[in-house]
Amino acid sequence: MTDNKNPYRKSALTKLFLISAVGVGLSLISSAKLASSTVAHKAGQDAITPKVLVGKVTKGLEQFSLTSEQGVQYHISDPSHILDDLAKKRGVVDNFYTLNRVRVKAVISKAGNYGHMGYYERQISIVGIADD
């Protein structure tokens, strides 16, 4: 038996498809609005404001971290090579180094798994060197 004999079935399936497509579209729009309002709400929070951190920087083969004076360890993201430039200013010629008493401006990430093998709970993105 073919469905061509029942014209109402084809019309009903078309209507069902259109209703489903509209429902999915509205759901996506609602999700996008919720996400944008969440981001806008968090934009005013301290989470994305650079903080001044003081501590020891260690750069090795599988490690690039800052250990704060309070003992908190952060994985470092430094795409502008700010810390490498600081190391050169301090006379370091090696690619791997340790710098003591470093004051940086950095954005702290949300909790997660960062660095080699996800060892660090948080990551900092270096945005500058803090003045004393």
Side-chain angles (χ1 to χ4, degrees), residues 30-108:
S30 176
S31 295
K33 284 183 178 179
L34 178 62
S36 65
S37 67
T38 301
V39 169
H41 173 71
K42 289 185 177 183
Q45 293 181 352
D46 294 336
I48 57 173
T49 303
K51 307 269 189 229
V52 174
L53 296 171
V54 180
K56 179 175 86 171
V57 171
T58 304
K59 184 174 185 180
L61 183 61
E62 296 174 341
Q63 176 185 13
F64 195 14
S65 66
L66 180 136
T67 303
S68 72
E69 291 178 326
Q70 294 78 24
V72 180
Q73 290 186 322
Y74 302 95
H75 180 259
I76 293 175
S77 171
D78 186 15
S80 298
H81 306 287
I82 294 169
L83 292 173
D84 290 340
D85 293 342
L86 177 64
K88 287 178 186 173
K89 287 180 185 176
R90 290 189 180 183
V92 175
V93 293
D94 196 7
N95 290 331
F96 304 130
Y97 52 81
T98 297
L99 301 174
N100 294 307
R101 292 285 303 147
V102 175
R103 291 176 49 86
V104 294
K105 292 179 191 172
V107 176
I108 302 172

Side-chain angles (χ1 to χ4, degrees), residues 9-22:
R9 180 177 171 113
K10 186 175 181 181
S11 175
L13 289 174
T14 302
K15 288 178 184 176
L16 180 63
F17 171 76
L18 290 174
I19 290 170
S20 298
V22 168

